[in-house]
Amino acid sequence: GHLTQKADVYSYGVLVLEILTGRKCMDTRLPSPILLQWAWSLYERNENINIVDPKLEVQGMSENEQGQVLRVVLIAFLCVQGLSSQRPSMSMVLTMLTGDSEILVAPSAPALIDCEHISVASAATPQTLSAAASSSTSHATMSNSMCPR
């Protein structure tokens, strides 16, 4: 893969989701080890508030504050779109985060690692993930943020 500005946008989206959820991008100790897959499944079931780490106490926030948190979740999903052409630029991300621009596009399913070709084991390395991703038919760009920490 090639590192591009859009790959940086993807990495930013993953980082934002890690912060909001309190989860690593991949954690083999969890029933749903891949963050993007888990978060997207909640989004599809309209359980957006459950994406956010309970430690952030979103339930106790005002409706306006909850709306702002969910806006950040939507922006993060836009950043991790499978096709780089569907991802916003970082300047557009900034205008959406500051509220200077509306979110006009609903996110589609994020780019995910092809789990059928990866053994999700605690011994997975960035090299094995990178090799598996390059053999996949996905057109998504991959960044170091997808590797387990």
Side-chain angles (χ1 to χ4, degrees):
H2 302 292
L3 290 179
T4 65
Q5 289 178 352
K6 294 292 183 148
D8 288 345
V9 171
Y10 184 90
S11 297
Y12 177 77
V14 172
L15 176 66
V16 168
L17 286 171
E18 285 180 328
I19 292 168
L20 286 173
T21 63
R23 294 177 57 153
K24 295 178 182 179
C25 66
M26 185 177 288
D27 189 342
T28 57
R29 296 171 293 160
L30 299 172
S32 297
I34 300 173
L35 171 63
L36 293 179
Q37 208 167 23
W38 171 80
W40 184 254
S41 69
L42 290 174
Y43 174 79
E44 284 184 315
R45 294 191 312 255
N46 204 27
E47 297 178 26
N48 301 338
I49 206 76
N50 295 329
I51 294 171
V52 181
D53 187 345
K55 292 177 187 170
L56 295 178
E57 299 179 2
V58 177
Q59 304 294 352
M61 293 180 179
S62 71
E63 191 173 313
N64 183 45
E65 291 169 328
Q66 285 182 6
Q68 290 175 6
V69 170
L70 296 178
R71 178 183 186 87
V72 174
V73 169
L74 284 176
I75 293 167
F77 279 134
L78 287 173
C79 290
V80 295
Q81 294 298 283
L83 297 174
S84 62
S85 60
Q86 294 176 328
R87 297 177 205 147
S89 65
M90 282 309 293
S91 60
M92 179 54 80
V93 169
L94 180 61
T95 61
M96 288 188 288
L97 286 171
T98 59
D100 293 338
S101 174
E102 292 300 315
I103 301 172
L104 301 175
V105 180
S108 57
L112 299 172
I113 295 175
D114 185 356
C115 297
E116 293 176 19
H117 296 96
I118 297 176
S119 171
V120 183
S122 58
T125 66
Q127 292 78 17
T128 58
L129 289 174
S130 178
S134 66
S135 68
S136 151
T137 57
S138 171
H139 298 325
T141 41
M142 189 104 169
S143 67
N144 285 337
S145 65
M146 289 297 298
C147 299
R149 293 186 181 150

